[in-house]
Amino acid sequence: MRRTHYMTFRNFFNKPSFKPSTKPRPFKTYSFVPFSPLAMLDPTILTIGGIVLGTAIIERILERWGVIDLVDQFAKVMRFILPVTFYSALIYFFATFMF
């Protein structure tokens, strides 16, 4: 238990205290930004990104070939699949990322 050091108001302003009131304690510091760009090199994230990129390239190739009906079908399917894939990958990334 610590002893309380009493000082009068007059002594407080005229004479500096000769001993510190608290001892300095060592403390650990933590970073609030644990994100590393290398964490994006997860094989699952890269696979999902490759599949999405591959379907986009296939869609462009089919558009160049003039198969507009098939491109429209791809666009309708991708309009649903791309957001679902993106948010699923984002949830997976933060669920498996070690903070």
Side-chain angles (χ1 to χ4, degrees), residues 7 12 14 21 28 34 53 64-65 67 69 79 83 85 91:
M7 293 180 73
F12 179 73
N14 291 337
S21 60
K28 295 181 181 179
L53 186 63
R64 246 184 223 170
W65 287 351
V67 190
D69 295 334
R79 204 172 296 152
T85 306
I91 290 169

Side-chain angles (χ1 to χ4, degrees), residues 2 9 12-13 24 29 31-32 36 39 43 63 74 80 84 90-91:
R2 292 185 191 172
F9 184 75
F12 179 73
F13 278 104
T29 57
S31 173
F32 290 106
S36 170
E63 186 180 355
F74 257 100
F80 173 74
V84 170
L90 193 66
I91 290 169

Side-chain angles (χ1 to χ4, degrees), residues 2 22-30:
R2 292 185 191 172
T22 60
K23 295 179 183 177
R25 297 179 185 153
F27 59 95
K28 295 181 181 179
T29 57
Y30 296 98

